[in-house]
Amino acid sequence: MIDAFTFIMGTTLAVTGWFLCRDYARFLRASSYLKARVTSIQQVFVPKIGREQGAGEPYVKDGFYPVIEYQAPEGAISFTAIDASASGRFHVGDEVGLRVSKTRRKQARMCKSFSLLVLSLVLLMAGLLGSALVADFVLSKAQIVSGSFVIALGLAILVLYLRDQDESCIHEFQHTEGGCSQLCLFEPTAFKKWKSALKDPQQCSKIRSSQIFGSACFGFAMLTWAMSVQPAVLLHIRF
């Protein structure tokens, strides 16, 4: 007979590994980070069509947008950050961090592996609860401890994923922990040129860690599945 609880625990680990290696790593790859510098300030004018005759100054109030330059493999590239959150905040020579994202999505995206991971965790928690309420369903101490650990691990990963998605959906000017100003640019027209820029080392480390940890979860899932079918294999050999 296959140990159902252990099998579900292995399935949860396998789904966790799939989620980390595929969807979480893909999400982390969807943004690039590069350092830039403000080279000049551009003041914006009000078009004549949009204002009445003699309606005051032809300038946008506080419309001083920074001209930002960053280094790319083909050389220096500059652009004007026409964003209300960046207006009047910079001086020439200021260092700026650019966070470039592929998407303009303002809400968290629930992928298939995310839903499967939630379902697996619910089944695992139901098994733990059933062992406490149903007399015929008994779990060993090792199963209870390992099952609780897998549940805690899965919930922690889900929280980290949702937190990272919330941070990537911020469409406004920010200050980083190091004191550097940061602009978030969403879905540029030519993303291929942007993603060839230097990546954030911390982001690359997150991607590698996600893949390595996901592979480890796959390994533990195989081991757990082997333990779940061991009673059935021994029973088959005996008879």
Side-chain angles (χ1 to χ4, degrees):
M1 180 179 179
I2 297 177
D3 190 340
F5 182 81
T6 306
F7 184 82
I8 294 174
M9 187 163 54
T11 303
T12 305
L13 286 171
V15 175
T16 303
W18 177 34
F19 173 72
L20 288 172
C21 291
R22 184 177 180 271
D23 292 297
Y24 197 9
R26 180 185 295 176
F27 163 72
L28 293 174
R29 288 195 198 96
S31 63
S32 299
Y33 181 86
L34 58 152
K35 293 183 179 180
R37 184 180 296 274
V38 178
T39 57
S40 63
I41 304 296
Q42 181 177 351
Q43 190 171 13
V44 177
F45 296 86
V46 178
K48 290 183 179 180
I49 300 176
R51 60 189 180 92
E52 298 178 359
Q53 200 75 12
E57 295 292 333
Y59 300 106
V60 175
K61 184 179 180 181
D62 200 27
F64 297 91
Y65 297 110
V67 177
I68 298 175
E69 181 181 280
Y70 67 96
Q71 294 295 325
E74 59 270 22
I77 297 178
S78 60
F79 68 98
T80 304
I82 303 178
D83 189 341
S85 61
S87 176
R89 293 179 180 267
F90 295 97
H91 300 86
V92 176
D94 287 350
E95 291 187 354
V96 184
L98 298 178
R99 178 74 63 181
V100 185
S101 177
K102 283 184 178 181
T103 177
R104 295 177 183 268
R105 188 180 298 275
K106 294 184 179 180
Q107 296 180 350
R109 175 178 174 269
M110 300 300 119
C111 51
K112 292 182 179 179
S113 59
F114 183 95
S115 303
L116 286 175
L117 180 55
V118 172
L119 178 61
S120 300
L121 290 174
V122 170
L123 291 176
L124 205 56
M125 286 186 282
L128 287 176
L129 185 62
S131 67
L133 299 178
V134 181
D136 295 335
F137 186 58
V138 181
L139 297 177
S140 65
K141 291 182 179 180
Q143 287 178 315
I144 294 175
V145 172
S146 56
S148 301
F149 175 78
V150 172
I151 291 173
L153 177 65
L155 292 177
I157 291 172
L158 293 180
V159 169
L160 287 174
Y161 176 68
L162 293 176
R163 187 195 66 179
D164 287 345
Q165 280 214 340
D166 289 340
E167 290 179 355
S168 70
C169 293
I170 297 175
H171 288 229
E172 58 187 20
F173 175 83
Q174 295 185 54
H175 282 288
T176 61
E177 296 179 357
C180 178
S181 301
Q182 178 173 288
L183 288 175
C184 296
L185 308 177
F186 292 84
E187 202 178 42
T189 304
F191 186 79
K192 290 181 179 180
K193 294 182 180 179
W194 285 89
K195 72 177 183 179
S196 64
L198 296 176
K199 298 292 185 69
D200 183 5
Q202 186 177 0
Q203 193 78 351
C204 292
S205 177
K206 282 185 178 181
I207 295 172
R208 286 193 296 269
S209 299
S210 175
Q211 293 172 332
I212 292 172
F213 195 66
S215 301
C217 288
F218 273 120
F220 282 113
M222 298 296 291
L223 181 61
T224 307
W225 278 335
M227 293 172 60
S228 68
V229 300
Q230 184 181 9
V233 173
L234 293 178
L235 184 64
H236 178 75
I237 293 175
R238 184 178 299 176
F239 295 97

